[in-house]
Amino acid sequence: MLLSALLFIPLLGALILGFVPKDRERTIKAFALVVSLIPLALVLAIWREMDFSQPGMQLLYRAEWIPSLGISYQVGVDGISFPLIAVAAIVLPLAVLASFSINHRVKEFFIWMLVLQTGIYGVFLALDYFLFFIFFEASLVPMYFIIGIWGGQRREYAAMKFFIYTLLGSAIMLVGILALYFGSGLEPRTFDVLVLAEQANLSPALQWWVFLAFFAGFAVKVPIFPFHTWLPDAHVEAPTGGSMILAGILLKMGTYGFFRFMLPTFPDAAHAFSPVLAVLGIIGILYGALAAMAQKDLKRMVAYSSISHMGFVILGVAAMTPMALNGAMFINVSHGLISPLFFFLAGSVIYDRTHTRMMDEMGGLLSSLPLVGGVTAFAAFANLGLPVLAGFPGEFFTLAGSFPVFTAGVIVAASGLVLTAGYHLRMMQRVLMGQPRALETRVDLAGRELAVAAPLMVFIVLLGVMPGLALSVFNAPIAVLAAKLGGI
């Protein structure tokens, strides 16, 4: 019942919030924060219950929902899904806290934030394709409204673009789910994720087409080049809390889809498609880094850096070796912590003081606001993959694990690390160094801002110094997955 509580407590909180008078803004914000912290306590309880030396699903709960169609309410957690619900449990309450500056239609905003949390946890816990698809779509609607109502000047355009891209990808994936359901050869038919992964008897041609249908849904979500164009607009226009969730968690739904559904269910198609995936991953690494280098808008630069980092995940998935898959999973976790910190700084902390996102209009933050400048430098170093910070181990393991499979590709991809260092150092030179510019406020990092940044910084250092903490969680299921894929 722990997993069901994790799923539905945020939704219950949203329903209760609906009865709170809209003028009680402080009560609404405090209540949303408390509700979003409850899943963190539940994740700690789940962590105590789990045995991470076991690769299989744990805390499984299944109840028949529509038995005549083979649909059930089935949830479970393993070493692949647990790190992502843990990251979500850390980032979501921090995103709620970062959104305390929202003063327009406050009640509706925090209701959508709590509904979004149920959708996110559902995606990572559902083990029935019908149930998974509901949660996958349920996460789309709240983010559409969060961007479209509380976003920047071009919020309606960005929200519409985000919605159309992800809905189109989801629609194609739905066709793949139905093809898997009807073409699995199982009687009675089922939407059970675990049964279909182990027992589905798909012809090679059908497996290939279903793989492509799933790829359409998850490639948009990652996003993989050339399905990425919605992301910079969505990130730039979203309010800070929305950007933190979008970069830290929603992008991981796409990469999670590769680990949970595509690789174990369609291993032959995954092998056939592996070189294409590797090429797309490498293009994403280089294109994202070059595009980030060309940006003048700080938030847009961070958005393009996310495309580059997700390229490393796709490269690791394509290589399919245990080390590459472990590296890809590690980046899922580390980027889930680093990118929310960076977006919080760019969209809220620095913007509140400079009232601009243009890097050429900033300068001297390190001397005028030492704490803000120091935390920004920390986020930049973590994002560029400095050793002893969480951004380094994942990229190292991914490149090392991919080298035996895509040697030339890894050499090309490694040049992306140089570009990544280049645009981060250029950003620091323009934002942190030089002559201080006029600031709207001289207040250095405030208490609420420190409460948002500090937990993320602690985990970034912890995983950078002790990467084994994360590897010990997902190593066992990754080893089983790699063995099924024939990874070396």
Side-chain angles (χ1 to χ4, degrees):
M1 295 307 289
L2 278 174
L3 302 186
S4 296
L6 180 64
L7 269 177
F8 294 113
I9 281 179
L11 185 61
L12 180 62
L15 292 173
I16 294 173
L17 208 51
F19 293 98
V20 178
K22 63 180 180 182
D23 58 343
R24 303 280 298 273
E25 294 186 358
R26 294 185 64 178
T27 302
I28 290 168
K29 292 174 181 177
F31 181 79
L33 179 61
V34 170
V35 171
S36 65
L37 281 168
I38 294 173
L40 180 59
L42 292 171
V43 167
L44 288 173
I46 293 168
W47 173 67
R48 289 176 59 84
E49 292 284 325
M50 290 187 68
D51 178 1
F52 291 107
S53 65
Q54 301 298 318
M57 280 292 165
Q58 300 178 48
L59 304 180
L60 268 172
Y61 178 79
R62 178 188 172 93
E64 295 299 333
W65 184 6
I66 313 174
S68 59
L69 299 178
I71 297 173
S72 63
Y73 170 80
Q74 182 171 218
V75 292
V77 62
D78 66 354
I80 291 175
S81 49
F82 179 81
L84 298 174
I85 63 169
V87 169
I90 294 167
V91 171
L92 290 172
L94 297 178
V96 169
L97 185 59
S99 302
F100 271 27
S101 57
I102 293 286
N103 52 23
H104 169 62
R105 299 173 67 173
V106 173
K107 179 175 165 179
E108 292 98 318
F109 178 83
F110 286 98
I111 285 176
W112 282 125
M113 288 286 274
L114 292 177
V115 172
L116 178 60
Q117 293 186 20
T118 287
I120 288 169
Y121 289 122
V123 166
F124 295 135
L125 296 177
L127 294 176
D128 179 282
Y129 277 109
F130 187 81
L131 187 65
F132 162 78
F133 192 76
I134 288 174
F135 285 124
F136 196 75
E137 293 298 276
S139 65
L140 169 63
V141 177
M143 185 53 74
Y144 167 77
F145 285 114
I146 287 171
I147 297 172
I149 297 176
W150 292 275
Q153 291 184 344
R154 298 173 69 240
R155 56 185 178 274
E156 292 178 4
Y157 166 77
M160 186 64 70
K161 196 172 179 180
F162 163 77
F163 194 87
I164 290 173
Y165 266 72
T166 49
L167 186 66
L168 182 60
S170 300
I172 297 173
M173 183 173 69
L174 178 60
V175 174
I177 291 174
L178 294 176
L180 179 62
Y181 175 75
F182 287 106
S184 68
L186 298 177
E187 289 294 342
R189 294 191 178 107
T190 180
F191 284 99
D192 190 311
V193 172
L194 302 178
V195 170
L196 287 168
E198 294 298 326
Q199 301 177 21
N201 183 23
L202 304 174
S203 67
L206 182 59
Q207 187 178 141
W208 201 81
W209 284 112
V210 176
F211 179 92
L212 284 180
F214 275 75
F215 175 79
F218 295 131
V220 170
K221 210 76 170 182
V222 172
I224 296 174
F225 179 91
F227 307 99
H228 66 284
T229 60
W230 64 269
L231 183 133
D233 292 315
H235 271 311
V236 168
E237 299 303 329
T240 298
S243 292
M244 292 172 69
I245 295 172
L246 196 59
I249 307 168
L250 289 195
L251 304 190
K252 311 304 177 293
M253 290 182 180
T255 51
Y256 172 75
F258 281 85
F259 284 95
R260 173 64 66 222
F261 306 110
M262 294 176 66
L263 296 186
T265 311
F266 319 113
D268 296 335
H271 272 293
F273 205 57
S274 167
V276 178
L277 273 181
V279 170
L280 292 176
I282 294 166
I283 292 175
I285 292 168
L286 299 178
Y287 167 80
L290 288 170
M293 187 169 283
Q295 300 307 311
K296 296 180 179 178
D297 184 317
L298 178 58
K299 210 174 176 186
R300 191 172 282 271
M301 186 209 80
V302 183
Y304 276 107
S305 81
S306 291
I307 296 173
S308 183
H309 285 104
M310 289 299 99
F312 282 100
V313 178
I314 298 305
L315 176 61
V317 167
M320 301 185 198
T321 66
M323 181 177 282
L325 292 171
N326 271 298
M329 270 301 299
F330 200 100
I331 295 174
N332 270 339
V333 175
S334 62
H335 188 262
L337 299 169
I338 296 169
S339 59
L341 175 62
F342 221 154
F343 274 113
F344 173 62
L345 292 165
S348 185
V349 177
I350 296 175
Y351 183 79
D352 285 350
R353 286 152 179 80
T354 61
H355 278 218
T356 181
R357 292 199 308 262
M358 297 298 114
M359 289 183 277
D360 290 337
E361 298 173 9
M362 303 177 190
L365 277 187
L366 207 52
S367 58
S368 55
L369 300 171
L371 280 177
V372 172
V375 176
T376 305
F378 175 91
F381 284 127
N383 208 38
L384 68 82
L386 192 75
V388 310
L389 297 176
F392 173 73
E395 292 179 356
F396 177 82
F397 294 140
T398 300
L399 292 176
S402 303
F403 190 80
V405 184
F406 303 112
T407 304
V410 168
I411 293 171
V412 175
S415 64
L417 298 176
V418 180
L419 297 173
T420 302
Y423 68 77
H424 280 97
L425 294 173
R426 186 163 171 261
M427 180 279 292
M428 285 192 280
Q429 186 268 326
R430 296 156 81 185
V431 175
L432 305 181
M433 309 296 182
Q435 291 297 316
R437 302 292 177 95
L439 300 174
E440 291 292 327
T441 172
R442 283 280 179 180
V443 177
D444 212 341
L445 209 60
R448 181 176 62 85
E449 295 168 334
L450 186 62
V452 174
L456 295 171
M457 296 172 70
V458 168
F459 282 108
I460 289 168
V461 172
L462 188 64
L463 291 182
V465 176
M466 303 175 66
L469 288 176
L471 292 169
S472 64
V473 171
F474 46 72
N475 185 60
I478 289 294
V480 172
L481 178 60
K484 184 172 185 177
L485 294 166
I488 57 176

